Amino acid sequence: MTSSKVAALPAAPQRDARRIWWNGKARVAGRQTAQELCLELDLAPYRQAQIYQAVCKELVTDPAAITVLPVALRQRLRETLALVSLSPAREVTSADGQTTKFLFSLADGTPVEGVLMRHRGGRTTACISSQAGCALRCDFCATGQGGFVRNISALDIFEQVLLVAARARREGKSLTNLVFMGMGEPFLNYDAVMDAVALLNDPQGFNLGARRMTISTAGVVPGIERFTAEHVQVNLAISLHAADDELRSRLMPINRKWPLALLLAAARNYVAATRRKVFYEYLLLDEVNDSPDDARRLADLLGGPLHHVNLIPYNATDAPYRRSSPLRTRRFADILRERGIPVTIRHTMGDDIAAACGQLRAEGVSRRVRRAAG
Ligand code: SF4
């Protein structure tokens, strides 16, 4: 019998986790800049640049491993601070080895989730969180059911990518893609997300191409408008999950604030202004939003150029929804294709490890609750 592998990871060192590696060139607002920190630690600027390169290019998270630094300096840094604030608290790998899910602890112990997906063909994608918890309370989502905790910083976002990329590196793989589809709504933490994007995109640093990143929004129209106006080169995905307002408002309460007409108008403006494609995510829920009529309504909504629909199989949570059958999924996709809508059925990954966002944290919470109860 195959089974998923769960690893409890050692606790992070309890030293000061100020990020000395941040080079300050990227548009990141820090309470204390790395330059100030270098002054405080009497560190020459070129040393700070070496640390930045080691963290961003070699994915080093322990000062002792920065071999370009003198041994005495490595030792001093190791005793003074930790390079990275985030610590991996738990990880689970699916039985097929394709997906690893991480529960990270922020400096104050707040949990956020990240996922590493190893695709057939060699692509490697990190899915990371843009907030701790989420206020949008989508009915099918474990994160939404857990509620909002707080916004996280750009560096907290960056460090999730760093730790996921480091895990891939240990297997001889490079991170090729990044999606902001973990916990939270990226456009409700807009500045931090864009600062993280700038840092990830820095050619002197992590150097992940903007077009290899995708921001997925549940439909925060002012966020889409700002994203359009700023001509951000990152891909835009919009979670639709229903093709009429009544059902969408039931599944995604945000639809009451920004209904489909407003959302799709913002998406069309984005396409017109940027000439870039919008990806629509559509989670298929058995006998909820997956009928032939739903498919026809969706096709009618998505007129115009430059769009692509991703049909996503549902990973069960405590919510009362089931995954659509392969037959209903194929029929839904066929109707879209017949009507000229480009569509992809997403390959399911990590069913056995609760790979939908919020599920690992929810499991951790229910375990703690069970422990407290008993
Ligand atoms: S699906 Fe996304 S937007 Fe909706 S509650 Fe979950 S994390 Fe928030």
Side-chain angles (χ1 to χ4, degrees):
M1 190 179 91
T2 56
S3 65
S4 52
K5 288 168 270 171
V6 181
L9 300 168
Q14 292 302 306
R15 281 160 291 144
D16 187 347
R18 293 170 300 174
R19 282 82 165 217
I20 196 167
W21 49 266
W22 168 53
N23 73 351
K25 284 184 206 149
R27 195 168 56 96
V28 174
R31 275 182 314 191
Q32 185 183 33
T33 67
Q35 282 80 359
E36 287 163 351
L37 192 51
C38 286
L39 274 179
E40 186 186 312
L41 295 171
D42 194 23
L43 208 62
Y46 78 96
R47 290 287 184 211
Q48 190 267 332
Q50 288 173 326
I51 296 169
Y52 180 69
Q53 294 270 319
V55 170
C56 293
K57 294 206 178 294
E58 293 161 38
L59 313 180
V60 168
T61 55
D62 180 352
I66 308 179
T67 51
V68 70
L69 301 179
V71 174
L73 177 56
R74 278 185 251 165
Q75 188 59 30
R76 183 158 66 88
L77 289 176
R78 199 155 200 247
E79 284 162 8
T80 316
L81 47 77
L83 285 180
V84 173
S85 177
L86 224 66
S87 57
R90 189 165 169 245
E91 67 171 58
V92 192
T93 298
S94 60
D96 63 11
Q98 279 192 291
T99 309
T100 299
K101 187 151 191 177
F102 304 86
L103 192 67
F104 297 117
S105 244
L106 302 179
D108 64 356
T110 302
V112 291
E113 292 181 0
V115 183
L116 169 63
M117 290 170 276
R118 306 160 184 91
H119 304 275
R120 296 185 192 118
R123 237 169 10 99
T124 312
T125 301
C127 172
I128 53 146
S129 299
S130 49
Q131 297 181 301
C134 184
L136 297 187
R137 296 197 172 274
C138 298
D139 203 40
F140 48 79
C141 169
T143 298
Q145 288 154 25
F148 180 65
V149 181
R150 66 174 174 84
N151 269 333
I152 63 177
S153 72
L155 297 177
D156 290 334
I157 295 169
F158 177 79
E159 284 185 3
Q160 292 176 61
V161 187
L162 186 68
L163 295 182
V164 173
R167 178 68 156 80
R169 174 77 59 92
R170 289 201 291 281
E171 301 166 11
K173 294 179 165 55
S174 301
L175 200 64
T176 57
N177 296 80
L178 169 64
V179 292
F180 288 83
M181 288 186 190
M183 298 170 120
E185 163 52 52
F187 285 161
L188 293 182
N189 192 15
Y190 189 99
D191 289 336
V193 167
M194 293 309 160
D195 287 347
V197 164
L199 188 52
L200 289 160
N201 191 220
D202 181 3
Q204 308 304 317
F206 197 82
N207 196 24
L208 184 66
R211 292 180 184 219
R212 293 184 174 276
M213 300 186 232
T214 300
I215 290 181
S216 177
T217 177
V220 176
V221 167
I224 297 172
E225 290 169 347
R226 185 171 168 194
F227 190 78
T228 304
E230 293 180 357
H231 283 266
V232 182
Q233 295 300 305
V234 173
N235 299 311
L236 176 65
I238 296 175
S239 296
L240 270 189
H241 307 328
D244 67 85
D245 279 320
E246 191 191 332
L247 177 59
R248 193 164 188 272
S249 293
R250 185 150 58 83
L251 296 175
M252 306 177 73
I254 190 178
N255 193 68
R256 295 184 198 128
K257 188 159 189 183
W258 292 295
L260 282 165
L262 284 181
L263 176 57
L264 292 167
R268 280 192 280 274
N269 286 342
Y270 169 81
V271 170
T274 63
R275 305 307 304 156
R276 301 199 59 188
K277 192 184 286 181
V278 174
F279 295 85
Y280 291 101
E281 310 290 319
Y282 196 100
L283 194 61
L284 282 170
L285 304 170
D286 188 41
E287 298 194 10
V288 174
N289 64 356
D290 66 344
S291 71
D293 277 348
D294 289 312
R296 285 188 275 271
R297 267 194 292 273
L298 180 59
D300 290 345
L301 275 183
L302 301 183
L306 293 172
H307 51 254
H308 190 102
V309 173
N310 288 317
L311 297 178
I312 307 171
Y314 182 59
N315 279 322
T317 69
D318 289 341
Y321 298 106
R322 294 182 313 265
R323 176 180 298 180
S324 298
S325 68
L327 185 67
R328 286 177 80 87
T329 302
R330 271 199 308 276
R331 191 172 52 180
F332 197 96
D334 287 345
I335 291 170
L336 293 181
R337 279 194 200 103
E338 281 158 17
R339 291 172 177 239
I341 308 287
V343 58
T344 303
I345 302 173
R346 280 263 181 83
H347 172 59
T348 53
M349 294 182 83
D351 306 26
D352 57 328
I353 58 162
C357 81
Q359 289 179 272
L360 205 61
R361 180 183 75 136
E363 278 185 10
V365 169
S366 55
R367 250 198 314 278
R368 281 198 296 280
V369 169
R370 278 201 301 272
R371 266 205 303 272

